[in-house]
Amino acid sequence: MEVVGDLFSVNSCGWNSDAVRINEVKAWLTAQFEAAGREVPEFEYTPRSVAQLHALATLSQSRSRAASIVADDLRLKATEYRAQAARIREILDSAGLSQERLTPDAVSSVQVVASVANLLNIRDTESSSFVVAMGDLSLRKADVDEKRAKVQKDSKALLEYTRKAIAKLNDLKKTFIKFDNEIDVHVAQVEHWQRNMTIMDSKERQYLLQLNNYKALLSRVGYTSEINHGVLMEMAEHKKDLEKKTKPILDTLRSYQDLPPDKALAALAIEDKKRQYAAAEKYLEEVLHSALTTPEL
């Protein structure tokens, strides 16, 4: 029961707060439209519109109070200035320096002095006030000159950056025009590359198929990964050695193959070969002997 009571009190406070805010908004709107001579238009007071109007009313009222305070201060100062002006006028009249007794040139000079004082925002026309105001004005002028020089420097830098940016933009335009003119050439080249890629893809599939066929062939003939280039070179050297060793035997066998099949004929052929060998050997000895005995010229 206590919890329900607390919730009810919270909701009651929220509703009362919303009602108070709506009443404040209505009162503010009524005052504003009455001041303008118009009636408040009809609209729906939603939570969002009430919140926005209440914030606007609060801001307007705070600014109105601030403006009222400033206005009251200005009225007080105006009253003080009028009293001071009346007092100064009495002093000038008693000294015979009233505005009616001054010459037009003097009146013009006084008005100029007053205008300069207003321009320099000083409250009197004392020489010291003018000197201080002129010094302050000189400081402001120096500050303005410094800021102006900085602005001019920044402007020159920005102008230089702008020129460079324009130059780069022109270069980019030229490059764009160049690329635009070369589009047809590059398109033809790309199409050529695409055709080559198609051919290369076809060749790749063909070579892969051939590779698989060669692998199958090597597998059928018993090729293993242990047979490499070094092993093949060793086998080639071994083959050469065997050929050297078997060549004399093959030559002998071939000489035997040239013999007739009959034993007697074979013996005669052997005897004939021996005679031919002996004759060749004798001829060689004679040639060598004649070469050794012949005197040199």
Side-chain angles (χ1 to χ4, degrees):
M1 293 297 292
E2 292 179 358
V3 174
V4 174
D6 292 337
L7 292 175
F8 180 76
S9 62
V10 171
N11 292 332
S12 299
C13 292
W15 293 333
N16 292 333
S17 177
D18 292 339
V20 171
R21 295 176 69 180
I22 292 173
N23 291 331
E24 290 178 355
V25 168
K26 287 182 178 180
W28 177 74
L29 288 175
T30 302
Q32 298 299 319
F33 277 92
E34 286 181 353
R38 298 175 63 184
E39 295 183 356
V40 180
E42 297 293 336
F43 64 93
E44 182 180 1
Y45 289 93
T46 62
R48 181 178 179 182
S49 63
V50 169
Q52 292 179 351
L53 289 173
H54 188 269
L56 185 62
T58 303
L59 180 62
S60 176
Q61 290 172 358
S62 62
R63 290 186 176 180
S64 297
R65 286 193 294 269
S68 177
I69 293 171
V70 172
D72 292 339
D73 183 62
L74 292 176
R75 292 190 190 95
L76 180 60
K77 288 182 179 180
T79 303
E80 293 177 356
Y81 290 154
R82 291 193 194 96
Q84 186 176 3
R87 190 165 52 254
I88 292 173
R89 189 178 297 109
E90 291 178 358
I91 294 172
L92 292 174
D93 289 339
S94 62
L97 297 176
S98 61
Q99 184 176 357
E100 294 79 7
R101 296 181 181 181
L102 295 176
T103 60
D105 293 338
V107 173
S108 298
S109 299
V110 171
Q111 289 177 352
V112 169
V113 171
S115 299
V116 172
N118 290 328
L119 181 62
L120 296 177
N121 196 20
I122 57 178
R123 299 182 61 180
D124 52 43
T125 57
E126 296 290 337
S127 300
S128 59
S129 299
F130 279 102
V131 171
V132 172
M134 292 298 295
D136 185 39
L137 188 62
S138 299
L139 293 175
R140 292 182 182 179
K141 180 178 178 298
D143 188 24
V144 170
D145 291 340
E146 183 179 357
K147 291 181 179 179
R148 192 163 90 181
K150 183 179 179 181
V151 170
Q152 288 179 351
K153 183 178 179 181
D154 295 339
S155 299
K156 290 180 180 179
L158 290 174
L159 181 61
E160 186 66 22
Y161 290 151
T162 304
R163 289 175 180 172
K164 291 181 180 179
I166 292 173
K168 290 183 179 180
L169 178 62
N170 294 330
D171 293 339
L172 288 174
K173 287 182 178 179
K174 292 178 181 178
T175 305
F176 176 77
I177 294 172
K178 178 181 177 182
F179 288 161
D180 191 29
N181 295 330
E182 294 177 354
I183 285 177
D184 296 335
V185 178
H186 291 295
V187 167
Q189 188 175 7
V190 169
E191 291 177 352
H192 178 67
W193 289 344
Q194 288 179 349
R195 290 194 295 271
N196 290 340
M197 287 296 295
T198 303
I199 296 172
M200 294 298 291
D201 290 338
S202 177
K203 290 290 184 181
E204 181 184 6
R205 290 192 293 271
Q206 180 182 354
Y207 292 154
L208 289 174
L209 181 61
Q210 291 180 357
L211 179 62
N212 293 328
N213 293 334
Y214 291 150
K215 286 182 178 179
L217 179 60
L218 292 174
S219 178
R220 285 197 299 271
V221 299
Y223 173 80
T224 61
S225 60
E226 297 176 354
I227 302 175
N228 51 27
H229 181 71
V231 174
L232 293 176
M233 293 301 294
E234 291 178 358
M235 293 176 69
E237 293 294 333
H238 183 61
K239 179 184 177 183
K240 289 180 180 179
D241 294 338
L242 292 176
E243 287 178 351
K244 289 180 181 180
K245 292 179 180 179
T246 58
K247 189 174 183 302
I249 300 173
L250 290 174
D251 293 338
T252 303
L253 291 175
R254 289 192 188 97
S255 65
Y256 289 157
Q257 289 176 357
D258 294 335
L259 294 175
D262 190 5
K263 183 177 180 182
L265 294 175
L268 292 174
I270 291 172
E271 290 297 330
D272 184 47
K273 292 293 183 180
K274 287 181 179 180
R275 284 195 298 271
Q276 291 178 2
Y277 178 74
E281 187 176 7
K282 182 178 180 181
Y283 176 73
L284 180 60
E285 289 178 355
E286 291 176 355
V287 171
L288 290 175
H289 180 71
S290 62
L292 292 174
T293 58
T294 301
E296 294 182 359
L297 297 177

